[in-house]
Amino acid sequence: MIAEPRILNIGTSLFADALAAQGATVLHVDWQPPGGGNPRLAAALAALERPDVEQANRQAIERLLQARPVLVGMGIAGEIIPGMTQTTVLHAGPPIQWDQMSGPLRGAVIGGLIYEGLAQSEEDATALAASGAIRFVPCHERAAVGPMAGVITASMPVFIVENRAAGNRAYATVNEGLGKVLRYGAYAPDVIEKLKWIAERFYPALREAIERSGGLDLQALIAQALHMGDECHNRNRAGTSLFIRAITPHLLAGSADRETVARAFAFISGNDHFFLNLSMPAMKCSLDAAHNIPRSTLVTTMARNGTEFGIRVSGTGDRWFTAPAQTIRGLFFPGFTEADANPDIGDSAITETGGIGGLCMGNAPAIVGFVGGTAADALRYTLSMYELTLAENPAFTLPALNFRGAPTGIDVRRVVETGILPIINTGIAHREPGIGMVGAGLVHPPRECFEQALLALVEEQRP
Amino acid sequence: MEQHLLIKPHSYYDSVTLMRISQQISALRGVEQAVVVMGTDHNKALLAGVGLLADEASAAQPDDLIVAIQAQDAAALQAALAAVETTLSRSNATSNESGAQPAPRTITAALRQLPDADLAIISVPGPFAKREALQALRSGLHVMLFSDNVALEDEIELKQLARASGLLCMGPDCGTAMLGGAGLCFANVVRRGSIGIVSASGTGAQEVSTLIDRYGGGVSQIIGTGGRDLWPEVGGLMMRAGIELLARDDETETILLISKPPHPDVAAAVLDELRGSGKRGLACFLGYRGDAPAGVELATNLRDAAALAVGQAAMPQDDTALGEVAVALAAQIPATGTRLRGLFSGGTLCDEARLELAQMGLTEQAELIDYGDDQYTVGRPHPMIDFTLRLHKLREAAADPSTAALLLDVVLGHGAHPDPAAALAPALSEIAQPVVVYVCGTDADPQHRSRQVAQLQAAGAVVAESNLEAAGLAGLILKAREATR
């Protein structure tokens, strides 16, 4: 018999109050109608509360948590990214064609075509992009990830990150820094020039250094950066510093001339976001290992192309579930307002998908003001993310929560059930091509993506 | 006149909270109408009914909060809107007193905060109840399912799962239980003792447990089953589980079953289980005409069930003393009065009264309504919590020249209205006809029974000692009047 019941109260708070008045142990659950009260979603949720789904999720989360992302080298996109041709342009987010692209993505495509020498001017590039001769493919479908516009063309150098547990790899370009940069849709001559310098001088030197190092354990670097006040999406200052520390001896011991090495250091240390292009592929190769597990409700991709937000789920394989991209709540650089902002863009939400970024906001008090709110708000954001996730990552811990593991592995079911949406820390691009970054802030994925995915998961369950 | 409509997307609040807020805001100076509801189709129809449904509200989703206010002037409107914000944020705050940790939204998240929880009380709207109950049972929690409008086949599925897992699934539509001394949902504060109750009826369990307390006994546990448990389709799954549990409970010496008459096969199975429990067995199936197996005592009404449980004999009605009271009260009946009107909040109390009046041959003259019935609770809180509807009906009945006398129940305890006598007194003091009231509760209840009784008596009501006696007295008043005609 129950000696002293310990009670969860789901529904009216009146009963919790009455129990508390009796001195009983009671925890009130702030219940919300699952699926926003939509009976079809509620039925789908009920259909997915099954042991085989739990089993599939256990397998998926195990693969995600066991991933060991290591920076093993660099290469040229066209030579190492599968299926890449001279006329392939990889881009951030779900699939999109030229006529649907937003300003910053168009700008980056123009810049990419000029960089490749496929076009000489903006007009040329625009005509070529619209001609049908260029194949636009999501980075995510080629084991790659790209911040903001995320454009990768054939001759760009990319980092190679290998998941030592599963053997799969992920790729990302070198982060170009702030200001006028390709990923924010800028394509002026100085943008192209910087990309050329990266390919011709920086890449050979850094590639050699990485190879000399025998591989840099990105999981360890991320774990340390998290303890140093980064969340590894919108704040990467600690991660970038740690990277410099790790790479310095190898860069100095390499064959690159002194001027190149000096400029390489200046380039990395002058760009607080350098590490983002390492934390992203680290999460990508970890999540790819957990992708394509039948019945699993784990979200393995969240990405935006500036027009649409799209997610992919382990159990539904390579299907995208998309909805219009949201506008971002945030702060703007002087001279810019919300009217200048492009809707949400970039693959960088891969960090949140992998359990860092906005999900670890409680770890990064320094960026909280930038994205609006107090340190307590940041902790609350992180605490609420545990409602959505399948696990806590023992490798990534949160000092502010007494070293509790980061909330990891977003479950489509929990998102629809609770109505809580993942929180994403993100930069804001100007809506016109060629201008660049105008601010940073917070955004949520559209809930429709998760609702569609949930219904599709139920469909897949049918024999 | 100022009108304002505010939609808060994705902000669910339960109906009790919202009803409380609506009432508070409506009572503010200068506020003509205030409706704070979730955007369900039913609520939109309610808004349309009071002329407050604008286009924005028509588009609202079931988890959008609609605040519609009509006030005399702009200042009153502003004050009302501010008050809504305050009360909403307060109701959020109560659910999040633990500082940074936000209140959990799901059972899964709650179990991380309270990993050794062993019971879930579920009072979410019916269509969502099954899923929550399934999750709770699969997490190894006993379930008290207060929600109604759960399909019979879902009830069977839940109860079979509970049985297979060695857990209780009390309900759906289960309003009263007491486990380990904690009263769940609607329950009275009664003395601990050796009598264990398994009840298909909420107010039946409340009536018997409070009478046991008054007769000097005590209660070990109260296990509710929900009203349909003894239907042949469900087969008494939880009543049998409850008997099994109490049979193993060291505190329990007597097991008392309460219900409406079960199907004969179910009755036989349940009574057989009771006989085999190894404890003293007692059953009160109101209106049941079947036999009991040897060794099981049957009580015909709730009062006798309580008396037998504490070892007293079933009491014959003391008609002489009551008769004198009845004769005196009959004099208050207006010349045109012929009918007895009963306004109940407890379904089983209403049933018991109906049976008693039928036995007195007064079925034709007595019109008893249970305002706790589903048809009266759509979109509003239970009449034990909210007296608005009953007060309205009470005044209506008193104004009807054919009304000879009125009969009311007042249920106290945790979860019930904090001061029912104060809510009823103004209406009672205006009524010319005799009003017989029964107060189900104890002095240990938050409302304090003796004080409630004194207030009701001061307002002119006659207060009976049990629900059965209240019905009997009302019947005798009617008969005394007929005798003098």
Side-chain angles (χ1 to χ4, degrees):
Chain A
M1 203 66 219
I2 300 170
E4 265 184 50
R6 296 171 64 80
I7 302 159
L8 302 184
N9 182 60
I10 302 112
T12 177
S13 56
L14 197 72
F15 296 145
D17 297 344
L19 282 161
Q22 296 175 64
T25 303
V26 60
L27 176 62
H28 181 62
V29 177
D30 182 17
W31 182 87
Q32 304 284 311
N38 177 330
R40 200 166 157 227
L41 295 172
L45 283 165
L48 289 173
E49 295 297 337
R50 297 156 48 120
D52 55 347
V53 173
E54 301 301 331
Q55 173 58 35
N57 281 340
R58 267 197 296 278
Q59 194 187 350
I61 201 73
E62 200 169 289
R63 291 199 191 163
L64 174 57
L65 293 180
Q66 283 176 354
R68 297 288 297 176
V70 175
L71 174 61
V72 294
M74 293 183 80
I76 297 300
E79 295 166 12
I80 55 168
I81 294 181
M84 193 84 185
T85 68
Q86 288 305 308
T87 50
T88 303
V89 173
L90 303 187
H91 62 80
I96 188 167
Q97 292 311 312
W98 174 255
D99 55 347
Q100 300 296 319
M101 288 181 189
S102 65
L105 183 48
R106 278 172 182 248
V109 168
I110 292 167
L113 295 176
I114 294 173
Y115 170 82
E116 290 296 329
L118 296 169
Q120 304 309 316
S121 65
E122 182 194 331
E123 292 70 32
D124 269 9
T126 306
L128 178 60
S131 71
I134 301 297
R135 243 173 101 218
F136 295 106
V137 180
C139 292
H140 266 292
E141 295 182 0
R142 293 289 184 273
V145 273
M148 304 312 285
V151 162
I152 304 177
T153 56
S155 64
M156 286 184 185
V158 290
F159 290 117
I160 305 167
V161 179
E162 185 172 295
N163 171 5
R164 286 261 160 95
N168 65 306
R169 292 180 161 196
Y171 310 97
T173 51
V174 174
N175 193 295
E176 319 148 73
L178 292 174
K180 283 198 168 181
V181 286
L182 188 78
R183 71 177 187 282
Y184 278 95
Y187 53 83
D190 50 330
V191 175
I192 307 298
E193 207 171 299
K194 191 194 259 180
L195 290 174
K196 294 279 185 202
W197 174 78
I198 289 173
E200 286 158 16
R201 309 300 297 273
F202 181 74
Y203 158 64
L206 191 62
R207 173 181 147 162
E208 186 190 5
I210 293 167
E211 282 167 3
R212 289 182 75 92
S213 77
L216 290 182
D217 182 344
L218 291 178
Q219 190 181 42
L221 288 184
I222 291 168
Q224 292 170 60
L226 288 173
H227 282 197
M228 293 164 72
D230 280 1
E231 36 69 272
C232 300
H233 181 174
N234 223 352
R235 183 180 154 94
N236 284 290
R237 179 169 285 194
T240 301
S241 307
L242 289 168
F243 177 77
I244 292 175
R245 235 172 68 154
I247 206 69
T248 299
H250 309 294
L251 198 51
L252 288 175
S255 59
D257 62 78
R258 199 181 168 88
E259 191 205 326
T260 302
V261 170
R263 197 168 160 198
F265 277 131
F267 174 67
I268 300 173
S269 70
N271 174 13
D272 280 344
H273 280 297
F274 188 86
F275 191 72
L276 175 63
N277 289 35
L278 294 171
S279 67
M280 285 175 59
M283 292 298 107
K284 171 66 176 169
C285 66
S286 304
L287 285 158
D288 271 357
H291 193 56
N292 267 325
I293 295 173
R295 299 191 193 287
S296 169
T297 57
L298 174 76
V299 177
T300 48
T301 307
M302 295 196 290
R304 321 81 104 194
N305 57 31
T307 304
E308 284 188 312
F309 197 113
I311 69 166
R312 296 192 305 171
V313 177
S314 182
T316 47
D318 293 336
R319 273 177 77 178
W320 288 90
F321 304 98
T322 62
Q326 313 274 301
T327 51
I328 299 153
R329 284 186 297 121
L331 292 181
F332 289 86
F333 297 154
F336 295 104
T337 68
E338 211 167 296
D340 299 309
N342 197 72
D344 195 19
I345 184 168
D347 283 339
S348 56
I350 193 72
T351 53
E352 279 83 10
T353 321
I356 55 175
L359 270 64
C360 283
M361 195 130 73
N363 245 14
I367 64 154
V368 167
F370 192 50
V371 294
T374 63
D377 288 337
L379 268 182
R380 263 194 295 277
Y381 280 130
T382 291
L383 284 167
S384 68
M385 291 298 109
Y386 287 103
E387 296 263 356
L388 309 182
T389 49
L390 289 161
E392 299 181 10
N393 191 339
F396 300 152
T397 58
L398 296 120
L401 289 177
N402 198 20
F403 300 95
R404 185 173 178 184
T408 302
I410 295 163
D411 183 346
V412 166
R413 296 174 305 171
R414 298 288 92 86
V415 174
V416 177
E417 179 182 9
T418 61
I420 301 174
L421 294 164
I423 184 100
I424 297 169
N425 275 344
T426 197
I428 306 173
H430 198 285
R431 59 168 62 245
E432 298 300 330
I435 297 176
M437 184 178 182
V438 294
L442 293 181
V443 71
H444 295 290
R447 56 160 71 190
E448 293 85 339
C449 297
F450 297 90
E451 294 174 355
Q452 291 166 25
L454 185 86
L455 296 173
L457 280 159
V458 175
E459 285 295 317
E460 301 255 325
Q461 296 255 323
R462 302 227 167 96
Chain B
M1 191 67 62
E2 296 276 331
Q3 212 157 304
H4 188 82
L5 189 75
L6 176 76
I7 313 277
K8 290 179 159 250
H10 312 314
S11 315
Y12 172 82
Y13 291 86
D14 66 80
S15 59
V16 178
T17 302
L18 293 180
M19 202 59 68
R20 221 187 292 163
I21 292 172
S22 296
Q23 280 183 13
Q24 280 172 19
I25 306 304
S26 300
L28 293 177
R29 184 190 297 268
V31 174
E32 299 282 320
Q33 282 195 86
V35 184
V36 187
V37 288
M38 300 311 300
T40 61
D41 289 340
H42 174 75
N43 287 336
K44 287 189 234 173
L46 288 180
L47 279 167
V50 295
L52 285 175
L53 186 72
D55 289 347
E56 299 154 86
S58 311
Q61 298 296 305
D63 67 336
D64 294 345
L65 180 72
I66 303 176
V67 180
I69 295 174
Q70 198 172 38
Q72 282 165 2
D73 52 45
L77 182 68
Q78 280 313 312
L81 285 171
V84 169
E85 289 296 336
T86 313
T87 43
L88 283 176
S89 64
R90 198 178 305 138
S91 84
N92 274 344
T94 52
S95 58
N96 183 19
E97 283 165 350
S98 51
Q101 182 76 41
R105 293 268 186 105
T106 62
I107 291 174
T108 317
L111 280 170
R112 278 184 225 141
Q113 280 183 46
L114 194 66
D116 55 351
D118 45 26
L119 176 88
I121 297 177
I122 298 168
S123 58
V124 303
F128 302 109
K130 179 193 176 187
R131 180 161 175 279
E132 301 301 323
L134 273 179
Q135 276 200 349
L137 290 169
R138 286 183 184 144
S139 309
L141 303 173
H142 296 291
V143 166
M144 168 138 184
L145 189 50
F146 179 81
S147 312
D148 51 16
N149 291 309
V150 174
L152 185 63
E153 62 265 28
D154 291 341
E155 173 169 350
I156 295 166
E157 186 187 333
L158 289 170
K159 287 185 168 175
Q160 283 174 346
L161 173 63
R163 279 296 259 165
S165 323
L167 296 166
L168 291 173
C169 176
M170 300 184 277
D173 209 0
C174 176
T176 297
M178 196 177 81
L179 294 174
L184 310 177
C185 297
F186 300 113
N188 301 91
V189 181
V190 297
R191 199 178 293 124
R192 292 295 290 272
S194 63
I195 300 160
I197 297 172
V198 190
S199 177
S201 132
T203 44
Q206 286 191 272
E207 171 72 343
V208 172
S209 63
T210 53
L211 289 178
I212 285 173
D213 181 274
R214 211 171 319 147
Y215 299 159
V219 173
S220 55
Q221 321 282 349
I222 301 174
I223 295 166
T225 69
R228 294 187 303 211
D229 192 67
L230 299 181
W231 287 20
E233 295 89 333
V234 188
L237 272 175
M238 271 312 119
M239 191 160 271
R240 289 153 68 184
I243 295 167
E244 270 176 35
L245 223 98
L246 291 176
R248 293 198 305 269
D249 180 33
D250 293 339
E251 276 185 83
T252 303
E253 288 165 17
T254 297
I255 301 176
L256 165 58
L257 309 182
I258 303 169
S259 170
K260 286 183 190 174
H263 184 275
D265 296 347
V266 182
V270 166
L271 291 172
D272 205 44
E273 180 103 26
L274 180 60
R275 188 177 54 112
S277 69
K279 307 260 165 146
R280 179 176 168 231
L282 191 57
C284 175
F285 297 150
L286 283 177
Y288 178 66
R289 300 196 186 283
D291 300 320
V296 172
E297 298 164 80
L298 284 182
T300 52
N301 58 59
L302 301 170
R303 186 193 62 186
D304 289 355
L308 286 171
V310 300
Q312 299 175 5
M315 289 178 281
Q317 190 85 24
D318 184 358
D319 282 354
T320 335
L322 282 182
E324 286 169 22
V325 179
V327 169
L329 288 168
Q332 294 173 21
I333 296 177
T336 51
T338 54
R339 302 184 65 76
L340 170 67
R341 297 235 145 78
L343 297 85
F344 284 83
S345 59
T348 301
L349 299 181
C350 186
D351 283 342
E352 187 188 41
R354 198 174 280 137
L355 276 172
E356 177 66 7
L357 288 161
Q359 284 207 335
M360 296 173 78
L362 292 169
T363 304
E364 290 296 311
Q365 294 93 323
E367 180 193 309
L368 307 187
I369 296 176
D370 166 26
Y371 286 99
D373 195 79
D374 288 357
Q375 59 171 306
Y376 299 104
T377 55
V378 178
R380 63 168 79 239
H382 197 275
M384 281 184 206
I385 306 171
D386 176 9
F387 278 76
T388 317
L389 179 66
R390 271 214 297 171
L391 280 170
H392 176 68
K393 295 288 179 188
L394 187 63
R395 291 198 166 99
E396 225 173 61
D400 182 340
S402 74
T403 301
L406 294 137
L407 176 61
L408 291 179
D409 65 351
V410 170
V411 182
L412 308 182
H414 288 294
H417 191 285
D419 192 359
L424 283 167
L428 290 179
S429 54
E430 290 165 10
I431 295 175
Q433 295 96 333
V435 185
V436 180
V437 180
Y438 172 59
V439 182
C440 174
T442 70
D443 283 353
D445 279 330
Q447 302 89 343
H448 200 281
R449 181 174 189 271
S450 303
R451 261 183 251 142
Q452 293 287 320
V453 168
Q455 269 188 82
L456 291 165
Q457 284 169 336
V462 182
V463 180
E465 284 304 305
S466 67
N467 183 61
L468 186 77
E469 186 188 288
L473 176 57
L476 287 172
I477 294 171
L478 234 58
K479 291 204 156 187
R481 174 66 181 179
E482 278 173 10
T484 61
R485 247 183 243 273

